[in-house]
Amino acid sequence: MFNKFTTILQQAVDALAPDAPLHEDFVYHWKSVTNFYIENTDDKTPVTDSNIPSHLKQMLQILVQEENEREAGDTGPCMEYLLQHKILETLYTLGKADCPPGMKQQVLIFFKHLLGKIRQPLLPHINVHRPVSHLVRVCGEVQAAPTETEEISFLCTVCARLKHEPHLLHFFLRNNVNDSSNNTKHMKTNLASNEQEQNSEPAHSQHLKRESYDLVDSLLNLSRSEDSRVAVKACEGLLLLVSMPHEAAVSATVKDTALCPLLNSRLTGLFTSLPTSLDPSDIDCVNAKWGLDTHNYTYGDIRNFNGKRALVSFLSWFDYCDQLIIEAYQGCSDYIAQSVVENFFQKTLLGPLLQADERAALTTSSVLTKLFTMVRSRPLMREMIKFVVFNDEQDSSKHLLPRLLERCDHFSDEISVVTLRLFEAIIGKRAPEALDWLVLRFLKDKSYHANNPGNIVVQTDSDDLEWDLEPGLDEGTPTTKSRQHRSNSDIVTDNGVEANNPKTQVQRAVNCFLASIPDSAKSTQVNDDDSGYDGYLREAHRMYKDVCLNCRGFNWPKLSENKLEPAERCQAVTNYDEGPFLRMLLNKLSKVLSQQYSVNLVVTSIASRLCLMPHPLMHELFINPLTQLRPQARSMYTVVQMVVEQITHRMNHIPNFKNRLIIARRKLAAGGYNDEDQVPPHHHQKGSHMTPHIGMAQGVVTNNDIDTHKTFLEGTIVLEEFCKELAAIAFVKHHAVAVQGL
């Protein structure tokens, strides 16, 4: 009480006394602080009961006033006094001892305001950067310390100061041979309690000479704070540090500190806390962004489910890792990305993905798909793609790609859809690594082309149509197998040479897709108002423009330049191999009439994404129906023709097929049937040309009639829409080549 009275009395005297020179005033306040320790014998009295906070505040105000009154770069006598008398060293010593109690908090506040408010360069002075670095080292030493808020505020101020003066970062690095700092050891000891945290740095990071980076170590310790605000600010400080253009400092951050082990251990811990019963639709719909989960985990999403908080926390931390890699300086981003994939994806995600447990595989595949949709940094995306598509492991049981391709045709539609969506997300990232490994490496030398020198055709009985039976087909029906020897030779000109006129090529390519399905098997006509073809054109134009912009840095030849060697000049390839991924995709497309609607939507989505790619080889095989193929080769167009053969055969054995098709389309558009959904057999839609087929029963078509052929009808509609989409893509790409030179 007496000290508080003394403080008030002193403030009143200071207010009434005439203004003293700033230097004298500054010295007076500092002397008052030091005199406290000479005169006071009670070391248990809180610092808030003394005059020290007031004197320190006055000293800061004097320093700011002095700088404002002098020219830029001119050091005043007060600042000279602070530097020459090593005031910051003394304050650091008092703060570290926390004498009197609460002194550490006051010192942190003083240092923070000094670095934050004084504009002149202070850190180059040894009597500034040395006590500052010492104070940095004691931050985060004690978990849940009462000074956590002041500690993180001080550290973030130091980071902000260094952001403008990155060349001063070397003041905060310490060389260590065969050892790291005690603070780094302390951090790694905390992390070592989790088995996944062991050996979490890539092997090539182990070297004798290490750099201790106390600023990073302190931020890492505070990032584990139970106070979410402190933890978020610590992570923000780390983002600042990894982005600074100082190679030694950033290298020390990612290689010589516990940053990477912390990222991976937290990813592992948060992932393993997820329920294995998460619904794939919940995982897909949830919104997560780093920083927001600490305040409102339902941000932008009102959908609640069991395990949502754990899922948001995991995805939010992944988003932070991704952001860290985006911000990281130069090659350090690659190091962090490799560490995350090696120590989280390989050691934690791979096991559940390879498990026979369908529930675990389903949840983990859905999570992996979500991570692919979220990732933005090129280094992490590249490493994630390698994780999925590359088979570096000698143990074939650990090869992920073959297992995933098998699941695309799983007997469980749910597993098939989830796995297909994973590939849809990978293709959607438009990464050259994924496209090269999954598709392009099998198309080199134009081995699919009929003019490839290795295409030696020997006509045998086996070249004729094979006759096989499939469920729902009568004997003598040509199946998918029977069309594998089909080429596009039937759509070239009479003299066997394609027209060179670009406009003619566009028209013929578009018409090939639009005319694939006969009018009698269409639920709409192209000139109908509700056909949707105009919408496909607009969407194809928008998407192709976006794809070309995204692929601009891939070093791919332009479609318009036609720099690829003609097929007859390419290396001879005797046996054409379309590759496991393309084989899976075309097989799934050929089964569109027997697959569930949800499966077909993803299959056609993947196919259209590939068709949009502006690579000459992919364009020639996927979207140009005029390309002449060797007997073993398949394209989108030839597979569509195979399926159309099945449609034309089966539709003649389904009474009221056209009307059933119209009702099925109406149901898909409305999301379900009503009992009153009935269409008379001769009902005509505007713009349609409906005529009853031979054998069509008279009367009305009900829901029970539709459900009998539900999968077939929906598959027919999906193929019809897919042909419109392919026609739109063909028009947009051919037009872009002919007019815009893309």
Side-chain angles (χ1 to χ4, degrees):
M1 178 64 72
F2 178 74
N3 286 332
K4 288 184 179 181
F5 175 76
T6 303
T7 301
I8 296 172
L9 181 62
Q10 183 63 51
Q11 291 174 348
V13 171
D14 292 342
L16 295 174
D19 292 341
L22 289 179
H23 178 259
E24 293 182 10
D25 207 6
F26 185 81
V27 173
Y28 161 74
H29 287 294
W30 176 241
K31 295 290 186 182
S32 299
V33 172
T34 57
N35 286 339
F36 172 85
Y37 291 92
I38 297 173
E39 300 170 357
N40 187 29
T41 57
D42 184 8
D43 58 357
K44 295 183 180 180
T45 302
V47 71
T48 52
D49 290 344
S50 70
N51 296 329
I52 291 178
S54 175
H55 289 304
L56 292 177
K57 183 178 180 181
Q58 291 296 322
M59 291 171 63
L60 278 170
Q61 291 177 351
I62 291 171
L63 290 171
V64 172
Q65 181 182 348
E66 179 185 65
E67 184 179 54
N68 292 335
E69 293 176 354
R70 305 181 74 88
E71 294 182 1
D74 186 12
T75 303
C78 297
M79 182 59 72
E80 290 284 1
Y81 185 88
L82 179 139
L83 296 174
Q84 291 176 4
H85 289 78
K86 301 182 179 180
I87 289 178
L88 297 183
E89 287 279 10
T90 303
L91 286 175
Y92 158 71
T93 303
L94 297 174
K96 182 180 180 182
D98 199 29
C99 180
M103 188 60 185
K104 181 179 179 181
Q105 182 183 45
Q106 297 301 318
V107 170
L108 288 165
I109 293 173
F110 183 86
F111 273 61
K112 173 207 168 184
H113 288 302
L114 180 69
L115 295 175
K117 294 183 177 181
I118 299 299
R119 298 186 301 274
Q120 60 182 292
L122 293 176
L123 288 176
H125 297 280
I126 188 172
N127 290 334
V128 175
H129 70 249
R130 185 166 58 188
V132 167
S133 62
H134 289 165
L135 189 59
V136 163
R137 203 174 305 166
V138 300
C139 292
E141 279 188 331
V142 180
Q143 289 187 351
T147 56
E148 270 191 345
T149 301
E150 289 74 24
E151 289 176 9
I152 192 59
S153 184
F154 161 68
L155 292 176
C156 287
T157 302
V158 174
C159 292
R161 187 88 185 205
L162 290 171
K163 184 70 174 177
H164 299 288
E165 302 173 296
H167 58 283
L168 302 178
L169 277 165
H170 65 276
F171 289 134
F172 296 87
L173 296 175
R174 293 184 295 126
N175 289 332
N176 292 272
V177 180
N178 295 325
D179 197 7
S180 298
S181 68
N182 291 333
N183 207 15
T184 303
K185 284 185 176 180
H186 169 69
M187 182 64 187
K188 290 189 176 180
T189 300
N190 289 336
L191 293 173
S193 58
N194 190 327
E195 182 178 354
Q196 286 80 4
E197 296 162 15
Q198 302 285 344
N199 303 319
S200 59
E201 294 183 64
H204 56 270
S205 73
Q206 305 300 327
H207 49 81
L208 296 179
K209 186 177 180 181
R210 302 177 67 91
E211 297 276 2
S212 291
Y213 201 172
D214 297 322
L215 187 54
V216 173
D217 293 329
S218 295
L219 286 171
L220 288 172
N221 285 330
L222 288 172
S223 71
R224 302 169 64 243
S225 171
E226 294 296 327
D227 187 335
S228 61
R229 294 168 298 181
V230 172
V232 168
K233 283 187 173 293
C235 291
E236 290 173 348
L238 292 169
L239 280 173
L240 273 177
L241 292 182
V242 299
S243 67
M244 294 188 187
H246 192 290
E247 186 175 353
V250 178
S251 178
T253 300
V254 299
K255 297 179 181 179
D256 298 335
T257 72
L259 175 63
C260 288
L262 174 70
L263 297 177
N264 297 321
S265 63
R266 190 168 294 181
L267 278 173
T268 297
L270 292 171
F271 174 77
T272 53
S273 68
L274 298 178
T276 57
S277 58
L278 284 174
D279 189 277
S281 63
D282 290 334
I283 297 173
D284 180 57
C285 293
V286 75
N287 293 318
K289 192 170 181 64
W290 172 74
L292 297 178
D293 65 308
T294 58
H295 304 293
N296 180 13
Y297 76 96
T298 60
Y299 176 82
D301 186 8
I302 59 174
R303 187 171 180 172
N304 288 310
F305 52 88
N306 181 37
K308 180 174 183 178
R309 179 177 289 275
L311 177 62
V312 170
S313 296
F314 165 71
L315 295 177
S316 299
W317 186 247
F318 175 81
D319 184 64
Y320 173 73
C321 297
D322 189 37
Q323 183 66 32
L324 199 72
I325 295 170
I326 292 174
E327 298 293 337
Y329 179 65
Q330 292 185 352
C332 292
S333 57
D334 294 328
Y335 187 94
I336 301 175
Q338 291 170 9
S339 175
V340 169
V341 171
E342 288 176 11
N343 297 286
F344 171 64
F345 282 82
Q346 293 282 1
K347 296 181 180 179
T348 304
L349 279 186
L350 184 60
L353 286 170
L354 295 174
Q355 279 184 11
D357 182 356
E358 294 181 2
R359 191 70 248 178
L362 188 67
T363 299
T364 309
S365 298
S366 300
V367 169
L368 182 57
T369 302
K370 185 67 175 180
L371 298 184
F372 267 106
T373 61
M374 291 177 60
V375 65
R376 294 168 295 153
S377 64
R378 286 287 308 155
L380 184 54
M381 184 194 308
R382 182 170 56 248
E383 294 300 323
M384 288 171 60
I385 289 171
K386 290 180 181 178
F387 166 72
V388 173
V389 304
F390 289 3
N391 296 325
D392 293 334
E393 290 281 352
Q394 294 183 353
D395 185 359
S396 60
S397 65
K398 294 183 179 180
H399 290 178
L400 182 57
L401 182 60
R403 189 72 59 88
L404 293 176
L405 292 174
E406 289 174 6
R407 288 181 184 153
C408 289
D409 200 28
H410 200 274
F411 64 86
S412 167
D413 289 331
E414 187 178 23
I415 291 179
S416 293
V417 168
V418 165
T419 313
L420 285 166
R421 281 179 177 161
L422 172 59
F423 286 107
E424 181 185 28
I426 293 174
I427 297 297
K429 303 310 288 189
R430 301 160 190 164
E433 299 84 4
L435 296 170
D436 287 343
W437 190 260
L438 292 175
V439 180
L440 286 173
R441 67 191 181 105
F442 297 100
L443 306 185
K444 64 180 181 178
D445 299 318
K446 294 191 175 184
S447 54
Y448 53 85
H449 205 286
N451 294 336
N452 182 278
N455 180 27
I456 303 175
V457 181
V458 179
Q459 184 71 24
T460 63
D461 293 340
S462 61
D463 291 327
D464 297 331
L465 293 182
E466 298 176 11
W467 301 92
D468 196 3
L469 290 177
E470 287 187 356
L473 300 182
D474 294 335
E475 185 175 359
T477 301
T479 68
T480 300
K481 293 180 181 179
S482 71
R483 298 306 300 260
Q484 290 181 355
H485 300 291
R486 179 191 181 101
S487 70
N488 296 341
S489 59
D490 59 326
I491 56 173
V492 297
T493 56
D494 293 337
N495 60 3
V497 180
E498 297 179 9
N500 293 324
N501 189 318
K503 185 176 180 179
T504 302
Q505 288 187 346
V506 172
Q507 293 174 345
R508 293 174 61 209
V510 170
N511 289 336
C512 282
F513 289 115
L514 291 180
S516 293
I517 300 180
D519 290 347
S520 57
K522 293 180 179 178
S523 58
T524 64
Q525 298 299 321
V526 174
N527 58 352
D528 284 355
D529 293 338
D530 61 346
S531 71
Y533 180 63
D534 289 342
Y536 283 120
L537 279 173
R538 289 191 296 270
E539 184 67 9
H541 177 75
R542 183 193 65 80
M543 292 187 67
Y544 187 61
K545 184 178 179 180
D546 183 51
V547 168
C548 289
L549 183 65
N550 186 268
C551 299
R552 189 168 50 186
F554 288 3
N555 196 28
W556 284 354
K558 287 186 177 181
L559 296 179
S560 59
E561 293 177 352
N562 196 24
K563 288 185 177 180
L564 296 181
E565 287 285 344
E568 54 270 16
R569 296 183 185 176
C570 292
Q571 181 178 349
V573 179
T574 305
N575 298 315
Y576 168 61
D577 179 15
E578 57 193 5
F581 174 75
L582 190 55
R583 185 179 303 113
M584 176 277 297
L585 182 63
L586 294 178
N587 285 344
K588 295 296 289 183
L589 187 60
S590 69
K591 300 176 183 177
V592 69
L593 300 179
S594 58
Q595 292 171 161
Q596 291 298 313
Y597 181 69
S598 57
V599 175
N600 288 335
L601 287 183
V602 190
V603 170
T604 54
S605 174
I606 296 173
S608 64
R609 287 175 185 268
L610 290 176
C611 291
L612 280 165
M613 293 299 168
H615 192 286
L617 293 177
M618 298 174 74
H619 175 80
E620 185 175 63
L621 178 61
F622 295 154
I623 205 64
N624 186 359
L626 307 179
T627 302
Q628 296 188 65
L629 305 178
R630 67 194 304 165
Q632 299 89 351
R634 295 184 295 175
S635 67
M636 302 293 178
Y637 178 72
T638 59
V639 172
V640 166
Q641 292 302 302
M642 297 174 195
V643 179
V644 168
E645 283 188 357
Q646 299 177 30
I647 294 175
T648 54
H649 176 80
R650 289 186 59 180
M651 60 184 280
N652 293 325
H653 299 274
I654 300 177
N656 294 325
F657 170 76
K658 186 79 170 185
N659 299 313
R660 285 186 168 93
L661 197 63
I662 293 171
I663 294 177
R665 183 182 183 89
R666 182 180 300 171
K667 176 183 177 182
L668 292 175
Y673 286 135
N674 295 318
D675 290 337
E676 54 271 14
D677 277 341
Q678 298 177 345
V679 180
H682 298 286
H683 173 75
H684 290 261
Q685 285 189 328
K686 180 181 177 182
S688 65
H689 305 280
M690 295 178 52
T691 55
H693 294 294
I694 297 175
M696 179 179 293
Q698 299 298 317
V700 296
V701 180
T702 65
N703 285 342
N704 290 334
D705 297 324
I706 300 298
D707 291 340
T708 304
H709 305 281
K710 176 175 178 291
T711 301
F712 174 71
L713 294 172
E714 290 178 347
T716 302
I717 294 170
V718 168
L719 190 70
E720 176 187 352
E721 296 303 306
F722 183 54
C723 288
K724 295 176 189 176
E725 188 173 14
L726 292 179
I729 294 173
F731 176 83
V732 168
K733 292 183 74 174
H734 280 83
H735 183 267
V737 170
V739 178
Q740 300 172 340
L742 296 179

